[in-house]
Each structure stands twice: as C-alpha cells, then as structure tokens.
Amino acid sequence: MRSAELMGEERLHQLCGVAIDAAEADQTQIAIRVTDSSLTRFAHSSIHQNVSERNFAVAVKVAIGKRIGYAQSNTLSDEAIRKAVAAAEKSASVLPEDPAFNSFADSSPSYPATQAYYASTADFGPEKRAEAVGRIVEQAQKSASATCNGSVRISAHETAIMNSFGVRAYAPSTEASLITLCENPDEGTGWAEAHSRDVTSIDWKAVALTAAELSARSANPRDIEPGDYPVILMPCASIDLLQMLGWMGFDARSYQENRSFLNGRLGQQIMSDTVSIWDDGSDPRGWNRPFDAEGVAKQKVMLVENGIARGVVFDSYTAAREGRESTGHASPGAQFRPYPTNLFMATGDATAEDMIASTEKGILVTRFHYTNVLKENETLCTGMTRDGTFLIEKGRVAYPVKNLRFTDSILRAFSGVEALGRELAQAPDACAPAMKLASFRFTSATEF
C-alpha cells in the first residue's frame, strides 16, 4: 500500500459511520482493516512464487441488551456494511444472553503517537523483493555453498475503529518479515529470520549468513539420548516459549475462569528472579500497536517482575467483571478474550558465547517446531527442535545432534534461567533474548 494509496482516517471513519447510523442495536462497534500484502517465496535458491493482494475486512459487533451478535464482510460499499450490521443484529436476536456482559468500550484514552507505518516498507515492490532474495542466495552460496528456501513478506495496513459511544481510532502500519532455511550439501539445515515495521532495518545478508553457517555446522548429526539437560535457547526458541505463555494465561478471561497458570499464583515467585515479562504496545522495539481491537489505547502491563507474577491483561468485557478499566488488549473476532500481543522479556548481560563457555554439558537449540499446549494451567508444552541442534561439552559446541522432542512446563524451565542475552530479537508479537536454562526436559529422539 503505497503512501499515496492510503484511504486515510477521514474516509475509513466515514465508512464506520455508515454502520453506526444503520444500527438499531443498543450498542454497535465496527472495525475496518485494509490490507495490502505481498509474498515472494523462494526454494532451491530460486523464486518460485510472487503474489500480491488487497483485502478488506469489516467486522461488526452489536449488543441488544446482553445478547451479542457478530458479522463480517470483505466489501467496503455502504450496502455491504449495512448488510453486515443487519446480520450481526439478527445473530444477536437469536443468541442467549451473556450475563457477564456490561458494555463495549465507552471511552478511549488518547493513544501515543508511535510510528508503525513506513513508506519504505509499503513501497517494497516485487523488484526490491527479488533483489533481496538475490542477496540472500549470494551470501548463502558464498559462505557455505548452501541453497536457500524461504519467503519475504510485506504488508501494509490501515485500521479504523468506531463505536456508538464515540470511540474513534485510526492507525496505518507496515510489516516486513524474512524467513530463510538454508540446506547444506551434507544435509545440514539452518534457520534464521528477521521482522521489522521498517524493511530498511533488515540486514538480508546477515540473516542469510546465520542460516548458511548453521546449515554447515549442523551437517551429519549424531544420536543423543533424551533426558534433562542444561539448555541454551537462541532467540527464536526463547520467543516461541514466550508466545506460548501469552496463549496460556496472561489474559484476564482465562484467569477469571480459573484456567490460567496464574490462578492462585499472583504475587508469588513463579520463575527465576532474573525473568521479567511485560506487554507494551508503544515500544518500537516490537511491532508497536497504539490501540486494541476495541479502539482502546494500549497500556504497558507488567506480567512477571523479577520472577514474581504481577498481573494479566484486560479488555472491556473482562475489566467490567472486576470494576476496572481495560488495559487495551481486546482481540479481534466474536469472542471476548484479551491477549498480550506485544510481549517483551528483559535482557541480561550475557552473550551466547558466555552461556556456552559456562556449560559443562548441555544442548544448544536454534529454534522449536510445532510447539503445542498440553495443559494450560501447568504451562505444559511439547514440540521439536529443528534446524540447528548441538551438543555442548566442556564449554564449547562439540557437534550437531539429531532433533529431540521436548515435553516440559515452561514455568519449571523458566524457574531455572541462569543467564539472559544482551540482544533482544523481534518477532511479530513477542521480543526476547537468548537464554540459558538449568534444565529442560527432552522426552524422545528422532532419526534426523
């Protein structure tokens, strides 16, 4: 979405007003999101797919008393918006009442003027994406004779929200993501990725170099017995576990329904005192977002402070249950469940080399694959290592090992954090450093 092609706040709020004017419900909320997305995929060091699309998402939520209705459309005509309102109202009329519902957001504190839109990203067209892929391929071939697979994804968004209480919000944003998997001739694989609102901050060659060197080092992996090991997680793996925590109970809905791992633990030590976790939509080190899906300004919320459980995030629905204000963490869709979408973990003063040097015997994990929840209230998860798993012996990386399946509680693992990296890595909804864990539980081995 080039800068000149932005529909703009005035036009999108005009369309939102069509819904508000057409509604007969007691309360109405409309969110409009305009997205231009482009994707360039490459495999075996050649581009094989290049696609672009523009999409419109119109989401209408209404309340008739305590009956909530929801409808969507992907057309921005006045007629289509009115039809979506009518569909939401029809849905509300036949659904049971929600006794806990009080109101949609009835106020919206001013949100900070954070920069989330970069013309450099919006204008990063197919030629520039092809040039970027060329630099990636050249670097991987040069450094490790590796072939590359992956994608460059570029998105530009405009989001506008309005409700019948007068809440109004608008923000444009851009997103750039690179992921690459390099394959070595000896069948080693290496993974690296980079994400930013500003595409010019991505160092294409550095990402390719990381993945290519990992692919060379991970060739010819050896067998290893599963068990409990000290583990060094590189940032991709750290972020994966942090994201899982976000899904498993940092939200008020889970807490109020006694499904959160924080139930009975607020104010208590639940992790190592080196660990602090918070959510902050205004921090430009992540994918900053000024407001939530209800148009409420995002607040910084401390979730874990020096290992002590401090709080959860709220939307208007869960906040009303406790007589408090929303923290600006409503999620889109028909359900009322807030989520932390701008998670941060505090950094430390160690480097990856420091962590390796301090480890007598352990495992270095580049990333996890297909991580899934087993028990939310215990933070029990399972998943696989992938694309760069190594044995550490006597303070150095000894050799690559075959991938392992883990099954462990994240709370248990984070209770043993011994060191945190100096650098914060960015992903779309979480930022975290590398970390060293005293113990991580691997339950089975693989043949690759």
Side-chain angles (χ1 to χ4, degrees):
M1 187 186 299
R2 297 180 183 273
S3 303
E5 295 175 352
L6 288 171
M7 294 185 67
E9 181 175 4
E10 182 179 354
R11 176 55 180 155
L12 289 182
H13 277 153
Q14 181 183 40
L15 291 168
C16 288
V18 172
I20 302 300
D21 293 341
E24 298 179 1
D26 300 324
Q27 301 178 42
T28 305
Q29 173 186 294
I30 179 170
I32 297 177
R33 187 169 175 86
V34 183
T35 300
D36 276 306
S37 59
S38 300
L39 176 67
T40 298
R41 281 196 175 105
F42 51 99
H44 304 293
S45 298
S46 297
I47 292 173
H48 69 94
Q49 185 181 41
N50 190 52
V51 294
S52 295
E53 68 172 356
R54 166 168 276 203
N55 193 31
F56 306 107
V58 179
V60 178
K61 188 180 288 188
V62 302
I64 301 174
K66 290 182 176 291
R67 302 176 190 272
I68 313 301
Y70 181 81
Q72 290 181 304
S73 173
N74 63 350
T75 303
L76 289 189
S77 70
D78 290 5
E79 180 184 6
I81 291 173
R82 293 189 185 101
K83 285 183 177 179
V85 172
E89 291 178 335
K90 183 177 180 179
S91 174
S93 69
V94 298
L95 288 172
E97 291 187 344
D98 182 346
F101 174 75
N102 181 56
S103 173
F104 295 153
D106 58 8
S107 64
S108 179
S110 59
Y111 45 87
T114 58
Q115 184 177 2
Y117 180 89
Y118 290 82
S120 56
T121 305
D123 295 340
F124 204 72
E127 296 88 356
K128 292 179 180 179
R129 296 196 301 275
E131 290 173 5
V133 172
R135 292 197 290 272
I136 293 165
V137 169
E138 180 183 15
Q139 182 63 62
Q141 181 64 34
K142 176 182 176 181
S143 61
S145 299
T147 58
C148 291
N149 314 275
S151 65
V152 178
R153 184 184 297 272
I154 301 293
S155 299
H157 309 277
E158 287 182 273
T159 302
I161 297 171
M162 183 182 291
N163 75 17
S164 50
F165 291 107
V167 170
R168 296 166 61 99
Y170 168 83
S173 61
T174 51
E175 301 165 357
S177 290
L178 162 66
I179 61 170
T180 186
L181 173 68
C182 285
E183 296 178 305
N184 184 269
D186 294 322
E187 298 186 354
T189 60
W191 177 277
E193 59 185 76
H195 309 272
S196 180
R197 294 247 185 239
D198 179 9
V199 72
T200 64
S201 69
I202 294 178
D203 188 334
W204 309 96
K205 288 188 176 182
V207 175
L209 180 62
T210 298
E213 290 184 343
L214 276 170
S215 73
R217 290 166 52 201
S218 64
N220 304 311
R222 305 183 194 179
D223 291 316
I224 188 170
E225 288 296 317
D228 284 8
Y229 290 88
V231 166
I232 295 170
L233 302 181
M234 299 309 288
C236 280
S238 298
I239 287 170
D240 192 287
L241 297 187
L242 182 58
Q243 289 171 328
M244 296 306 295
L245 278 180
W247 280 99
M248 289 190 291
F250 279 140
D251 67 284
R253 184 71 182 259
S254 294
Y255 188 82
Q256 291 167 353
E257 295 176 356
N258 205 36
R259 295 182 288 107
S260 169
F261 63 87
L262 292 178
N263 286 111
R265 292 181 170 128
L266 285 181
Q268 297 181 10
Q269 193 87 30
I270 62 170
M271 299 177 188
S272 163
D273 60 11
T274 62
V275 177
S276 291
I277 299 169
W278 64 92
D279 190 271
D280 186 1
S282 65
D283 193 328
R285 294 179 299 172
W287 279 13
N288 49 323
R289 299 171 174 90
F291 52 82
D292 69 3
E294 295 180 309
V296 176
K298 282 182 167 290
Q299 299 177 24
K300 180 178 178 179
V301 179
M302 184 60 68
L303 303 167
V304 178
E305 184 177 23
N306 299 325
I308 298 173
R310 292 300 189 195
V312 294
V313 299
F314 291 83
D315 59 6
S316 64
Y317 179 92
T318 53
R321 282 177 153 185
E322 299 185 24
R324 56 184 296 165
E325 297 296 321
S326 169
T327 59
H329 288 85
S331 56
Q335 301 299 314
F336 291 102
R337 184 179 175 183
Y339 281 112
T341 54
N342 300 89
L343 284 167
F344 289 84
M345 178 180 284
T347 56
D349 58 4
T351 64
E353 291 75 18
D354 295 333
M355 298 182 205
I356 292 168
S358 66
T359 304
E360 180 64 21
K361 184 175 182 179
I363 293 176
L364 174 67
V365 177
T366 297
R367 76 176 186 109
F368 292 125
H369 169 71
Y370 204 60
T371 307
N372 285 288
V373 176
L374 296 177
K375 292 184 180 179
E376 287 187 13
N377 59 358
E378 297 178 14
T379 66
L380 189 66
C381 293
T382 187
M384 302 280 293
T385 67
R386 188 63 67 90
D387 305 318
T389 308
F390 303 91
L391 180 69
I392 300 169
E393 286 186 322
K394 298 180 180 180
R396 66 181 186 86
V397 177
Y399 51 80
V401 296
K402 293 180 180 178
N403 289 300
L404 296 160
R405 172 169 291 280
F406 74 87
T407 302
D408 206 347
S409 160
I410 299 178
L411 286 187
R412 188 192 83 86
F414 281 14
S415 293
V417 173
E418 295 184 340
L420 291 165
R422 298 174 185 171
E423 302 295 327
L424 196 69
Q426 181 185 122
D429 55 2
C431 298
M435 66 173 75
K436 180 180 177 181
L437 307 176
S439 174
F440 200 65
R441 189 163 295 159
F442 295 103
T443 49
S444 62
T446 72
E447 294 300 318
F448 63 96

